[in-house]
Amino acid sequence: NAGVTQTPKFQVLKTGQSMTLQCAQDMNHEYMSWYRQDPGMGLRLIHYSVGAGITDQGEVPNGYNVSRSTTEDFPLRLLSAAPSQTSVYFCASTYAGSYEQYFGPGTRLTVT
Amino acid sequence: AQSVTQPDIHITVSEGASLELRCNYSYGATPYLFWYVQSPGQGLQLLLKYFSGDTLVQGIKGFEAEFKRSQSSFNLRKPSVHWSDAAEYFCAGGSTGGGNKLTFGTGTQLKVEL
Protein backbone atom coordinates (compact mmCIF):
# COMPACT_ATOMS: atom_id res chain seq x y z
CA ASN A 1 0.00 0.00 0.00
CA ALA A 2 1.20 3.48 -0.87
CA GLY A 3 -1.17 4.91 1.76
CA VAL A 4 -2.09 8.55 1.17
CA THR A 5 -0.18 10.27 -1.61
CA GLN A 6 -0.12 13.96 -2.48
CA THR A 7 1.20 15.79 -5.51
CA PRO A 8 2.96 18.06 -6.02
CA LYS A 9 5.29 18.32 -3.02
CA PHE A 10 6.04 21.98 -3.69
CA GLN A 11 4.29 24.61 -5.79
CA VAL A 12 4.71 28.33 -6.40
CA LEU A 13 1.79 30.25 -7.87
CA LYS A 14 1.17 33.84 -8.79
CA THR A 15 -1.83 35.63 -7.40
CA GLY A 16 -4.91 34.82 -9.48
CA GLN A 17 -3.63 31.56 -10.89
CA SER A 18 -5.56 28.35 -10.41
CA MET A 19 -4.33 24.90 -9.59
CA THR A 20 -5.36 21.54 -8.23
CA LEU A 21 -3.67 19.72 -5.38
CA GLN A 22 -3.98 15.99 -5.86
CA CYS A 23 -4.68 13.46 -3.13
CA ALA A 24 -5.13 9.73 -3.54
CA GLN A 25 -5.42 6.79 -1.16
CA ASP A 26 -5.33 3.08 -1.85
CA MET A 27 -6.81 1.86 1.43
CA ASN A 28 -10.46 2.01 0.32
CA HIS A 29 -11.20 4.60 3.01
CA GLU A 30 -14.59 6.26 2.88
CA TYR A 31 -13.55 9.45 4.65
CA MET A 32 -11.10 11.95 3.20
CA SER A 33 -10.17 15.42 4.40
CA TRP A 34 -8.04 18.42 3.52
CA TYR A 35 -6.25 20.48 6.16
CA ARG A 36 -4.01 23.50 5.94
CA GLN A 37 -1.20 24.16 8.37
CA ASP A 38 -0.07 27.66 9.24
CA PRO A 39 2.49 28.70 11.88
CA GLY A 40 0.92 29.09 15.30
CA MET A 41 -2.46 27.84 14.13
CA GLY A 42 -2.10 24.09 14.00
CA LEU A 43 -4.01 22.28 11.29
CA ARG A 44 -7.41 23.54 10.20
CA LEU A 45 -10.00 21.56 8.27
CA ILE A 46 -10.80 22.93 4.82
CA HIS A 47 -13.18 20.37 3.30
CA TYR A 48 -14.02 16.77 3.92
CA SER A 49 -15.86 13.91 2.26
CA VAL A 50 -17.67 10.93 3.74
CA GLY A 51 -17.85 9.06 0.46
CA ALA A 52 -17.87 9.37 -3.31
CA GLY A 53 -20.17 12.18 -4.37
CA ILE A 54 -20.49 13.65 -0.86
CA THR A 55 -18.47 16.63 0.35
CA ASP A 56 -18.89 19.25 3.04
CA GLN A 57 -17.17 22.34 4.33
CA GLY A 58 -14.81 22.45 7.24
CA GLU A 59 -13.54 25.36 9.29
CA VAL A 60 -11.81 27.36 6.50
CA PRO A 61 -13.46 26.51 3.14
CA ASN A 62 -13.38 29.90 1.41
CA GLY A 63 -11.31 29.97 -1.76
CA TYR A 64 -11.23 26.20 -2.14
CA ASN A 65 -13.35 23.69 -4.03
CA VAL A 66 -13.43 19.92 -3.78
CA SER A 67 -15.15 17.04 -5.47
CA ARG A 68 -15.10 13.30 -4.87
CA SER A 69 -15.91 11.30 -7.97
CA THR A 70 -14.14 8.14 -6.79
CA THR A 71 -13.33 6.59 -3.43
CA GLU A 72 -9.61 6.91 -4.12
CA ASP A 73 -9.24 10.56 -5.14
CA PHE A 74 -10.02 13.84 -3.42
CA PRO A 75 -8.54 16.83 -5.29
CA LEU A 76 -8.46 20.32 -3.82
CA ARG A 77 -8.90 23.20 -6.25
CA LEU A 78 -7.76 26.77 -5.82
CA LEU A 79 -9.73 28.79 -8.39
CA SER A 80 -7.91 32.09 -7.93
CA ALA A 81 -4.91 31.83 -5.64
CA ALA A 82 -4.27 34.53 -3.04
CA PRO A 83 -1.20 35.13 -0.86
CA SER A 84 -3.33 34.19 2.17
CA GLN A 85 -3.42 30.65 0.76
CA THR A 86 0.32 30.24 1.22
CA SER A 87 0.43 27.24 3.50
CA VAL A 88 1.22 23.55 3.84
CA TYR A 89 -1.68 21.36 2.80
CA PHE A 90 -2.29 17.90 4.18
CA CYS A 91 -4.71 15.32 2.92
CA ALA A 92 -5.96 12.59 5.26
CA SER A 93 -8.18 9.55 5.05
CA THR A 94 -9.84 7.04 7.33
CA TYR A 95 -12.51 4.38 7.19
CA ALA A 96 -16.02 4.72 8.57
CA GLY A 97 -16.17 3.87 12.25
CA SER A 98 -12.55 4.76 12.87
CA TYR A 99 -11.29 8.04 14.20
CA GLU A 100 -7.62 7.60 13.37
CA GLN A 101 -6.69 9.54 10.27
CA TYR A 102 -3.84 8.68 7.94
CA PHE A 103 -2.02 11.71 6.63
CA GLY A 104 -0.24 12.30 3.36
CA PRO A 105 3.23 13.90 3.22
CA GLY A 106 1.89 17.39 2.49
CA THR A 107 2.12 19.98 -0.28
CA ARG A 108 3.92 23.24 0.41
CA LEU A 109 2.23 26.03 -1.57
CA THR A 110 3.55 29.56 -1.95
CA VAL A 111 1.43 32.26 -3.58
CA THR A 112 3.30 35.41 -4.60
CA ALA B 1 -17.93 24.28 20.30
CA GLN B 2 -15.39 21.51 20.18
CA SER B 3 -11.86 22.67 20.83
CA VAL B 4 -8.39 21.51 21.69
CA THR B 5 -6.02 23.82 23.54
CA GLN B 6 -2.27 23.55 23.94
CA PRO B 7 -1.33 26.26 26.42
CA ASP B 8 2.42 26.13 25.83
CA ILE B 9 3.75 27.48 22.54
CA HIS B 10 7.40 26.70 23.31
CA ILE B 11 9.01 24.39 25.85
CA THR B 12 12.73 23.87 26.45
CA VAL B 13 14.05 20.91 28.41
CA SER B 14 17.50 19.47 28.99
CA GLU B 15 18.35 16.13 27.48
CA GLY B 16 17.58 13.40 29.99
CA ALA B 17 14.99 15.48 31.82
CA SER B 18 11.33 14.53 32.00
CA LEU B 19 8.76 16.12 29.75
CA GLU B 20 5.10 16.95 30.01
CA LEU B 21 3.17 18.69 27.24
CA ARG B 22 -0.27 19.93 28.10
CA CYS B 23 -3.46 19.45 26.15
CA ASN B 24 -6.99 20.41 27.17
CA TYR B 25 -10.11 19.54 25.27
CA SER B 26 -13.68 20.70 25.21
CA TYR B 27 -16.15 18.13 23.98
CA GLY B 28 -19.68 17.36 25.01
CA ALA B 29 -19.63 13.76 23.85
CA THR B 30 -17.01 11.08 24.48
CA PRO B 31 -13.80 12.39 22.97
CA TYR B 32 -11.18 10.54 21.06
CA LEU B 33 -7.74 12.10 21.35
CA PHE B 34 -4.41 11.92 19.59
CA TRP B 35 -0.89 13.21 19.86
CA TYR B 36 1.12 13.79 16.67
CA VAL B 37 4.73 14.83 16.23
CA GLN B 38 6.13 16.79 13.31
CA SER B 39 9.82 17.24 12.62
CA PRO B 40 10.87 20.29 10.54
CA GLY B 41 9.71 19.98 6.94
CA GLN B 42 8.11 16.62 7.60
CA GLY B 43 4.61 15.24 7.80
CA LEU B 44 2.67 14.18 10.86
CA GLN B 45 3.54 11.04 12.77
CA LEU B 46 1.05 9.54 15.18
CA LEU B 47 2.52 9.07 18.65
CA LEU B 48 -0.50 7.65 20.44
CA LYS B 49 -4.27 7.65 20.58
CA TYR B 50 -7.08 7.35 23.09
CA PHE B 51 -10.51 6.08 22.16
CA SER B 52 -11.80 4.51 25.36
CA GLY B 53 -10.79 2.13 28.12
CA ASP B 54 -7.52 2.45 30.00
CA THR B 55 -6.84 6.11 30.64
CA LEU B 56 -3.05 5.71 30.46
CA VAL B 57 -2.03 5.21 26.87
CA GLN B 58 1.37 4.07 25.70
CA GLY B 59 2.75 5.24 22.40
CA ILE B 60 5.84 5.04 20.26
CA LYS B 61 9.26 6.44 21.11
CA GLY B 62 8.68 6.03 24.86
CA PHE B 63 5.79 8.53 25.06
CA GLU B 64 2.66 8.08 27.11
CA ALA B 65 -0.44 10.18 27.76
CA GLU B 66 -3.09 10.15 30.43
CA PHE B 67 -6.73 10.94 29.78
CA LYS B 68 -8.28 12.78 32.73
CA ARG B 69 -11.95 13.45 32.20
CA SER B 70 -12.29 15.47 35.42
CA GLN B 71 -9.63 17.89 34.18
CA SER B 72 -10.49 17.67 30.47
CA SER B 73 -6.84 16.96 29.84
CA PHE B 74 -4.73 14.59 27.77
CA ASN B 75 -1.16 15.46 28.65
CA LEU B 76 1.79 13.86 26.89
CA ARG B 77 4.73 12.65 28.99
CA LYS B 78 8.14 11.15 28.54
CA PRO B 79 10.41 10.26 31.48
CA SER B 80 13.71 11.05 29.75
CA VAL B 81 13.94 13.27 26.69
CA HIS B 82 16.43 12.64 23.88
CA TRP B 83 17.84 15.34 21.61
CA SER B 84 16.01 13.70 18.70
CA ASP B 85 12.67 14.48 20.38
CA ALA B 86 13.04 18.14 19.40
CA ALA B 87 10.03 18.77 17.15
CA GLU B 88 6.57 20.25 17.16
CA TYR B 89 3.84 18.33 18.94
CA PHE B 90 0.16 18.53 18.16
CA CYS B 91 -2.77 17.36 20.22
CA ALA B 92 -5.93 16.60 18.24
CA GLY B 93 -9.38 15.40 19.04
CA GLY B 94 -12.85 14.66 17.89
CA SER B 95 -16.02 13.25 19.28
CA THR B 96 -18.21 10.31 18.45
CA GLY B 97 -20.97 12.72 17.56
CA GLY B 98 -18.78 14.81 15.27
CA GLY B 99 -18.09 12.47 12.42
CA ASN B 100 -14.48 11.78 11.53
CA LYS B 101 -13.32 15.39 11.72
CA LEU B 102 -10.31 16.25 13.83
CA THR B 103 -9.69 19.51 15.66
CA PHE B 104 -6.05 20.32 16.24
CA GLY B 105 -4.37 22.35 18.92
CA THR B 106 -1.98 25.08 17.86
CA GLY B 107 1.07 23.00 18.68
CA THR B 108 3.95 23.05 21.16
CA GLN B 109 7.48 23.50 19.90
CA LEU B 110 9.92 21.42 21.91
CA LYS B 111 13.56 22.39 22.14
CA VAL B 112 16.05 20.03 23.76
CA GLU B 113 19.21 21.44 25.25
CA LEU B 114 22.27 19.22 25.27
Side-chain angles (χ1 to χ4, degrees):
Chain A
N1 281 354
V4 180
T5 58
Q6 292 183 237
T7 56
K9 284 186 169 48
F10 302 94
Q11 182 70 49
V12 179
L13 290 178
K14 294 188 188 304
T15 297
Q17 287 185 317
S18 63
M19 82 157 295
T20 299
L21 307 186
Q22 301 292 344
C23 174
Q25 52 90 11
D26 61 359
M27 297 173 282
N28 205 31
H29 286 168
E30 295 92 339
Y31 289 74
M32 296 187 74
S33 307
W34 276 102
Y35 295 84
R36 60 176 288 174
Q37 182 182 23
D38 302 293
M41 304 192 75
L43 278 75
R44 293 178 292 168
L45 182 64
I46 304 171
H47 284 286
Y48 65 99
S49 169
V50 300
I54 306 170
T55 64
D56 205 348
Q57 297 180 350
E59 181 185 354
V60 288
N62 291 343
Y64 306 95
N65 275 356
V66 292
S67 60
R68 183 103 178 265
S69 56
T70 68
T71 300
E72 294 79 20
D73 301 297
F74 192 42
L76 180 71
R77 297 183 185 85
L78 284 70
L79 299 179
S80 179
S84 60
Q85 294 177 305
T86 293
S87 187
V88 180
Y89 292 85
F90 288 99
C91 180
S93 73
T94 189
Y95 54 89
S98 171
Y99 304 107
E100 178 180 347
Q101 299 206 12
Y102 297 79
F103 283 87
T107 294
R108 184 173 294 274
L109 175 68
T110 302
V111 183
T112 62
Chain B
Q2 300 173 343
S3 67
V4 174
T5 303
Q6 293 180 248
D8 305 305
I9 299 174
H10 299 280
I11 283 187
T12 300
V13 299
S14 300
E15 189 176 37
S18 63
L19 171 70
E20 183 169 26
L21 302 182
R22 297 184 291 165
C23 174
N24 295 102
Y25 66 89
S26 173
Y27 287 94
T30 303
Y32 50 93
L33 298 158
F34 304 86
W35 275 99
Y36 289 89
V37 61
Q38 185 181 38
S39 298
Q42 301 299 309
L44 295 161
Q45 182 179 23
L46 179 66
L47 285 176
L48 48 78
K49 58 192 177 188
Y50 171 79
F51 290 166
S52 63
D54 196 346
T55 56
L56 185 62
V57 180
Q58 301 296 323
I60 62 171
K61 303 185 179 187
F63 286 93
E64 66 178 27
E66 186 170 11
F67 172 70
K68 292 185 177 180
R69 185 182 296 276
S70 61
Q71 299 177 19
S72 297
S73 68
F74 188 59
N75 294 348
L76 182 71
R77 301 194 295 247
K78 187 170 185 178
S80 178
V81 169
H82 189 262
W83 64 266
S84 61
D85 292 326
E88 189 158 24
Y89 291 78
F90 292 96
C91 184
S95 68
T96 53
N100 286 61
K101 294 177 285 184
L102 281 183
T103 299
F104 280 80
T106 51
T108 298
Q109 189 72 45
L110 174 65
K111 180 180 176 182
V112 180
E113 291 182 332
L114 300 176

